[in-house]
Amino acid sequence: MNIERSSNWREDFNKRLEENGPWDSWSLYKMSYEIEKMNLIPEFSGLQAPKFLTNLMFLPHQMEAAQTVIEKMNGKAILADEVGLGKTIEAGLIMKEYMIRGLVKKALILVPASLQNQWVTELNVRFFIPAIPYRKNTPLDQYDVVIMSMDTAKKSPHREKIYEQDYDMIIIDEAHKLKNHKTQIYEFVQSLKKKFCLLLTATPIQNDVFEIFYLVSLLKPGHLGNFESFQSSFSATKHTLKEEKYLKELVNQVMVRNRRQDTGIEWTSRKVQTIPVIFTEGEREIYDMIFDLKNVSSVFKSSFTMVTLLKEMCSSKEATFLTLNKMLEKCITKEETDYIESIIAKMMTLEVNSKAEKVLEIIEAANDKVLIFTEYRATQAYLQWYLYTKGISSSLFNGKFSKSKRDWVKQLFRERDQVLIATESGGEGINLQFCHHVINYDLPWNPMKIEQRIGRVHRLGQEHDVHIYNLAIEDTIEQKILDLLGDKIDVFEKVVGDLDAILAT
């Protein structure tokens, strides 16, 4: 078979010469010229992306953060702005800049499942980056920018498919979830090839100082030495350390952190109160019986189980009952069974929840929208029932909800209900600037969880002072939690920087 070369182009070209056109559009030529000129920039300074993103108004701190990461940190950085300052915008701007300069083509973005669609929308609509959400059979080799949930990425067969790709940039949102080298997601991220890598978290230290060591080691292995040298150099334990100024200096070489007060934007204030709650005699009796469980049998000597039960009793009898009921199945002797059944019987006679009554007082005094955070779904359901009996409308919000249901519940809270009762995972990634009151019904061990909770309402667009109420039952485990929260905040401020108010002084 003979292949002949077409000569049509010559005839077409001669015709255009004779008729003086039509030639290519002058505007298309100018655009092509600009792109070529951009690729010939002799110095890698200044940002090119903003002039192509005319639909976005970048705040000065966002531009500075992007420039610092690109020019001084070689595209490997922790973006640790306080909640609500636009870390997603900064990451999108950095990615766009590298794409325009031809340094990034393929990118993988790992996020909590609840934020996957939000990231897809943000990158496509705001940055004109054609990102797609990863689904079960998405062919990774056919798409350049993929957004995937952390939980999916770390498991087979998805993990192996990712390892086969050659990504130019990795972005991880809510990077504090990596925690340490023992978690599956940390090991997975550590194994990825990372030409450029961004870790996004407002809370790079959540529970202990070693978390910052592991995050920095992902970006620059050896920057803080190995684990043993880090531990000895800074006399580091979970909640104490020395030479914190030197450590802070090293961390700041790979971390950008903007605080609200540094942005030049006028922010509303936080009004934080710790509200003491006193158990009734009946509640105290049950609490003490649970505390004595460890003396009944070795089955109940697990400190984790005991702490869980004590915390649940400070929340609601409903949450406590579910755990006690499971423990009945593990009982070996009749004495153990009888003791637990006696606790359950006493719980069934309880008619008062002192903490719920305090919540009602706060809601009635606020006379406004109120966001409540609890750690237990059983408590969530109880609070909704209790408030309903008092004529107060509420919605529930937790991590099991689909994207559409989350949006629907948020709309209900905005337009109909006075109260939204959320669990920790449910509150992740939801923005509620129209609400100005937050009740921490159950206190977490981790102060950064409180910061994340408050950040749902105290963020860009909030026009009112935000009132935070931390409830703590006197002479219970919640008093110990308050003390430990103070120690953890102290470590965070020594290494990362000052925090906005979380606890009352």
Side-chain angles (χ1 to χ4, degrees):
M1 178 180 175
N2 293 327
I3 298 175
E4 294 183 8
R5 188 174 293 174
S6 170
S7 60
N8 289 350
W9 68 270
R10 188 181 292 115
E11 294 165 12
D12 185 53
F13 182 67
N14 286 331
K15 186 179 178 185
R16 291 189 193 205
L17 279 174
E18 291 168 9
E19 298 176 5
N20 196 23
W23 307 108
D24 280 344
S25 153
W26 174 242
S27 59
L28 285 175
Y29 170 78
K30 282 198 297 184
M31 284 171 66
S32 178
Y33 176 76
E34 285 294 321
I35 289 168
E36 286 300 320
K37 193 168 76 171
M38 202 158 37
N39 287 333
L40 295 173
I41 292 172
E43 292 181 334
F44 204 95
S45 62
L47 297 176
Q48 304 298 316
K51 62 186 176 188
F52 296 97
L53 300 169
T54 52
N55 60 329
L56 263 176
M57 287 292 292
F58 294 103
L59 297 169
H61 74 270
Q62 293 167 342
M63 298 274 279
E64 286 170 21
Q67 205 161 337
T68 300
V69 170
I70 290 169
E71 294 177 12
K72 297 180 181 175
M73 298 178 179
N74 301 317
K76 289 188 176 182
I78 301 169
L79 297 179
D81 288 1
E82 288 186 323
V83 177
L85 292 186
K87 291 182 289 297
T88 309
I89 296 290
E90 292 169 2
L93 179 56
I94 292 165
M95 189 198 294
K96 187 73 174 181
E97 186 70 24
Y98 277 129
M99 284 180 155
I100 288 171
R101 293 177 183 271
L103 295 172
V104 167
K105 184 183 180 190
K106 280 183 79 73
L108 175 67
I109 300 153
L110 301 176
V111 303
S114 59
L115 302 182
Q116 191 176 12
N117 290 335
Q118 189 175 308
W119 266 90
V120 171
T121 304
E122 197 91 359
L123 291 183
N124 278 278
V125 174
R126 293 191 169 201
F127 292 94
F128 309 119
I129 294 173
I132 62 121
Y134 179 81
R135 301 290 181 237
K136 198 173 179 182
N137 296 313
T138 303
L140 290 177
D141 55 332
Q142 294 180 28
Y143 296 96
D144 287 335
V145 183
V146 176
I147 298 168
M148 190 182 300
S149 95
M150 291 183 185
D151 288 336
T152 300
K154 68 185 181 185
K155 295 172 187 170
S156 294
H158 318 288
R159 180 179 63 226
E160 288 76 19
K161 288 180 183 175
I162 292 168
Y163 286 152
E164 289 170 8
Q165 306 304 309
D166 197 8
Y167 287 106
D168 302 308
M169 175 172 261
I170 306 290
I171 296 176
I172 299 165
D173 196 10
E174 305 290 346
H176 50 266
K177 291 181 180 291
L178 301 177
K179 290 189 177 177
N180 59 56
H181 67 299
K182 293 178 182 176
T183 63
Q184 198 178 357
I185 185 66
Y186 187 96
E187 290 175 2
F188 166 70
V189 172
Q190 193 175 35
S191 302
L192 289 172
K193 290 170 281 188
K194 297 178 282 292
K195 180 177 168 186
F196 302 113
C197 183
L198 301 177
L199 305 178
L200 280 59
T201 173
T203 54
I205 293 178
Q206 292 228 333
N207 274 307
D208 65 66
V209 73
F210 297 113
E211 289 168 348
I212 195 72
F213 167 81
Y214 287 115
L215 282 184
V216 171
S217 297
L218 270 181
L219 296 173
K220 292 181 76 174
H223 185 67
L224 298 179
N226 60 28
F227 184 84
E228 289 74 21
S229 64
F230 174 80
Q231 202 170 18
S232 62
S233 299
F234 302 104
S235 302
T237 64
K238 274 191 166 189
H239 306 134
T240 61
L241 75 159
K242 293 179 181 176
E243 305 293 338
E244 61 264 17
K245 286 184 181 175
Y246 178 50
L247 176 56
K248 197 172 188 177
E249 192 178 305
L250 285 172
V251 169
N252 284 337
Q253 290 173 15
V254 291
M255 183 178 78
V256 176
R257 182 169 187 261
N258 290 299
R259 296 196 62 214
R260 294 178 188 88
Q261 64 190 44
D262 303 328
T263 59
I265 301 165
E266 196 170 321
W267 287 86
T268 59
S269 300
R270 288 184 182 185
K271 312 286 186 184
V272 184
Q273 299 178 56
T274 299
I275 310 288
V277 179
I278 299 172
F279 265 154
T280 62
E281 284 184 20
E283 289 172 314
R284 173 62 62 184
E285 184 183 0
I286 294 167
Y287 183 88
D288 291 342
M289 286 178 76
I290 291 171
F291 190 79
D292 289 337
L293 261 174
K294 62 182 182 295
N295 301 322
V296 176
S297 167
S298 59
V299 176
F300 308 119
K301 284 187 177 175
S302 160
S303 58
F304 176 77
T305 305
M306 182 55 62
V307 166
T308 300
L309 273 169
L310 293 175
K311 281 195 72 184
E312 286 172 341
M313 187 56 209
C314 289
S315 184
S316 69
K317 68 180 184 183
E318 287 74 12
T320 316
F321 170 78
L322 293 177
T323 303
L324 284 174
N325 209 34
K326 288 177 186 173
M327 289 176 71
L328 273 175
E329 299 169 9
K330 299 178 183 177
C331 289
I332 298 171
T333 67
K334 187 173 186 302
E335 181 192 4
E336 296 165 1
T337 303
D338 290 346
Y339 192 84
I340 290 181
E341 285 180 344
S342 69
I343 296 176
I344 292 173
K346 280 193 181 296
M347 281 199 325
M348 293 304 100
T349 64
L350 271 186
E351 295 181 358
V352 173
N353 182 318
S354 300
K355 208 188 250 187
E357 289 186 345
K358 187 62 73 175
V359 164
L360 180 62
E361 281 179 36
I362 295 168
I363 292 170
E364 289 177 340
N367 193 28
D368 199 355
K369 302 277 184 192
V370 178
L371 173 61
I372 301 174
F373 277 101
T374 175
E375 295 202 334
Y376 309 104
R377 284 195 211 159
T379 300
Q380 206 184 19
Y382 163 75
L383 283 173
Q384 185 175 45
W385 170 83
Y386 176 74
L387 293 175
Y388 176 77
T389 65
K390 305 299 178 184
I392 294 171
S393 61
S394 64
S395 294
L396 302 185
F397 200 94
N398 65 54
K400 295 290 183 185
F401 288 3
S402 63
K403 170 72 167 58
S404 56
K405 189 170 182 180
R406 290 164 70 90
D407 291 341
W408 176 64
V409 170
K410 180 178 171 181
Q411 196 70 12
L412 286 180
F413 182 40
R414 182 193 288 272
E415 297 180 359
R416 186 193 73 181
D417 297 325
Q418 185 182 352
V419 176
L420 182 66
I421 309 167
T423 59
E424 207 77 60
S425 56
E428 202 169 65
I430 185 174
N431 302 332
L432 303 166
Q433 291 94 322
F434 56 86
C435 175
H436 326 122
H437 297 265
V438 179
I439 298 176
N440 288 308
Y441 183 90
D442 299 314
L443 288 173
W445 292 101
N446 181 346
M448 298 308 121
K449 285 189 176 180
I450 301 180
E451 172 61 27
Q452 295 277 1
R453 292 172 177 185
I454 298 169
R456 300 303 104 219
V457 299
H458 195 224
R459 56 195 303 116
L460 283 172
Q462 179 57 264
E463 297 175 354
H464 301 268
D465 287 346
V466 174
H467 298 266
I468 298 111
Y469 313 89
N470 297 320
L471 304 189
I473 299 174
E474 293 188 346
D475 300 318
T476 67
I477 195 168
E478 291 189 332
Q479 291 282 170
K480 293 178 181 176
I481 292 173
L482 274 175
D483 293 340
L484 189 58
L485 287 173
D487 293 341
K488 290 179 178 180
I489 288 170
D490 185 52
V491 168
F492 183 98
E493 293 190 327
K494 281 178 178 175
V495 180
V496 180
D498 291 342
L499 270 173
D500 232 334
I502 293 177
L503 303 176
T505 307

